[in-house]
Amino acid sequence: MSTALPELDELTDLASRTSGPWQTVVWNDPVNLMSYVVRVFREYFGYSEERATQLMLQVHHDGHAVVAEGAREQMEMHAQAMHDYGLWATVREGGRS
């Protein structure tokens, strides 16, 4: 029995899907109060009042903010945590604004 090896294109595709860094992005929504978003950022990420407020204002004014950056699996955990708090969040590969 022989073991099939992946083609180079398949390996390249896999590498592009797992390379990083990855980002957790929180999106503006019409539901959550700004004070609540600041509290979530402070409680979950441990951000200072100032940093949490900056990120919340970015979400409010720009429609979204990158709240964390790192390995894909960790960013997916952060996005799920944001969902658990009732915030809208996604994960994307870094390098975008």
Side-chain angles (χ1 to χ4, degrees):
M1 177 182 241
S2 67
T3 304
L5 295 175
E7 296 292 324
L8 183 57
D9 289 343
E10 291 175 305
L11 291 174
T12 303
D13 183 50
L14 178 62
S16 68
R17 286 184 283 152
T18 58
S19 63
W22 291 79
Q23 299 173 332
T24 301
V25 181
V26 172
W27 299 87
N28 196 25
D29 67 63
V31 178
N32 292 296
L33 296 174
M34 291 186 275
S35 59
Y36 176 71
V37 176
V38 169
R39 190 175 93 207
V40 169
F41 292 167
R42 293 195 71 202
E43 185 177 298
Y44 180 77
F45 292 106
Y47 290 140
S48 67
E49 179 83 26
E50 181 181 358
R51 179 68 178 142
T53 300
Q54 289 172 343
L55 288 169
M56 175 278 297
L57 288 172
Q58 188 176 1
V59 169
H60 182 70
H61 293 297
D62 299 339
H64 69 283
V66 174
V67 296
E69 195 169 52
R72 182 178 183 175
E73 294 79 15
Q74 186 65 45
M75 296 307 102
E76 289 172 350
M77 287 175 40
H78 290 331
Q80 182 58 54
M82 294 299 98
H83 296 166
D84 293 345
Y85 279 102
L87 302 182
W88 295 353
T90 56
V91 174
R92 70 180 183 194
E93 194 164 4
R96 299 183 206 172
S97 57

